[in-house]
Amino acid sequence: MNTTTTFKSISLSGVVLASTVSAIAVFGLTTAQPAAAVSFPGPDAFGYRGAEIANNLRNISASGTFLSLDDDEVSGAISLGFNFDFYGNTYSEVYVSSNGFLTFNPGSDEGCCSGPSLPDGSSNPSNLVAGFWNDLNNPQGNIRYQTTGSPGSQKFVVGFYNVPNYLDGPQVTFEMILHEGSNNIELQYGAAPNDDSSVTIGITNNGSTDALTLVNADFNLDVGVSNRGFLITPIPEPSSGLGLLALGLLGAGAALKRHWN
């Protein structure tokens, strides 16, 4: 296996910093500014961070509901079966583009004909999870979706199986998986070769002013994700240890400010 991309473990200090920055924004002590491109492991400005995990394709190529999409088309609303938080907003439906991403925005553009460098400041398409954003030719492939698991810990899986790069280029297989409760985003890959066009993999917020990218507008034939798995996690909840630590740091900062003023 040719692994051209190296990912480092995420330090505790980086996680705490992400939590702190996000908590400051929540409490209105600073104004968010458009972020530059942030690569794995992050965090991005909101606090999403990534890590490599075991390769574990769920393979719903037969069991999932078949999604009939033409070339360069976005599906209608698909129910997740649960609520999912993404960049601070809660959703219960997604829309799937034949070009390798899902979005939470109705009426989204299909994203033809290649993956852009994120964030790009574009409102359409945005608010999305890109599993393999490129010009894919779905009528020759197999796109499925399925909600699995028990209430409270369900997973919504969108799988692209043997979908060629347009027109009849190398076929890609990947899954985008949304986790109930944790709001984690999982990306799993089988064979995922490129065809000399621009591929983008990652997430971006509504309006694409913030993003965390694994692959950002990469033209290489091997973008380094085949037969690998990745997990994107949001900031810790305030009730968690890291979240409480972040809030504690905020409190300490406020106390120091009062002391010196």
Side-chain angles (χ1 to χ4, degrees):
M1 178 179 67
N2 182 13
T3 55
T4 59
T5 308
T6 301
F7 299 92
K8 299 178 181 178
S9 60
I10 304 164
S11 67
L12 178 62
S13 61
V15 173
V16 172
L17 177 60
S19 303
T20 305
V21 170
S22 178
I24 291 172
V26 169
F27 284 95
L29 301 181
T30 189
T31 302
Q33 298 296 323
V38 177
S39 300
F40 263 48
D44 67 4
F46 182 83
Y48 279 101
R49 57 199 183 277
E52 183 162 9
I53 59 174
N55 186 220
N56 180 24
L57 278 170
R58 303 316 196 270
N59 192 8
I60 60 165
S61 58
S63 62
T65 300
F66 178 71
L67 190 55
S68 178
L69 292 175
D70 289 330
D71 183 40
D72 300 331
E73 184 178 10
V74 178
S75 74
I78 301 172
S79 174
L80 301 176
F82 54 86
N83 289 333
F84 186 81
D85 292 343
F86 186 68
Y87 279 104
N89 296 304
T90 301
Y91 304 94
S92 60
E93 298 176 331
V94 297
Y95 307 80
V96 178
S97 169
S98 63
N99 287 319
F101 63 84
L102 65 82
T103 175
F104 298 95
N105 288 349
S108 174
D109 185 84
E110 77 283 348
C112 181
C113 289
S114 61
S117 180
L118 297 176
D120 63 357
S122 172
S123 61
N124 193 15
S126 67
N127 209 27
L128 58 82
V129 176
F132 197 93
W133 186 354
N134 199 359
D135 190 13
L136 302 179
N137 191 17
N138 175 59
Q140 297 183 35
N142 181 15
I143 301 178
R144 303 269 177 157
Y145 66 89
Q146 185 176 355
T147 299
T148 65
S150 302
S153 59
Q154 296 178 98
K155 299 173 182 64
F156 177 78
V157 184
V158 176
F160 282 59
Y161 303 102
N162 301 317
V163 179
N165 288 269
Y166 191 84
L167 175 65
D168 55 358
Q171 297 179 348
V172 299
T173 291
F174 64 94
E175 294 171 346
M176 299 172 284
I177 305 170
L178 307 183
H179 290 249
E180 181 184 16
S182 67
N183 300 303
N184 288 342
I185 301 161
E186 186 177 347
L187 302 174
Q188 292 289 344
Y189 295 87
N194 191 16
D195 68 344
D196 270 333
S197 54
S198 177
V199 174
T200 295
I201 297 172
I203 62 173
T204 191
N205 66 342
N206 197 19
S208 194
T209 58
D210 191 12
L212 178 65
T213 58
L214 168 60
V215 174
N216 206 5
D218 194 331
F219 288 84
N220 290 318
L221 292 176
D222 180 3
V223 296
V225 297
S226 291
N227 303 308
R228 300 173 76 180
F230 304 92
L231 190 69
I232 300 173
T233 58
I235 59 175
E237 293 294 333
S239 59
S240 72
L242 290 176
L244 290 173
L245 178 57
L247 293 177
L249 290 173
L250 281 175
L256 286 172
K257 182 178 180 180
R258 288 195 300 271
H259 175 75
W260 290 108
N261 286 344

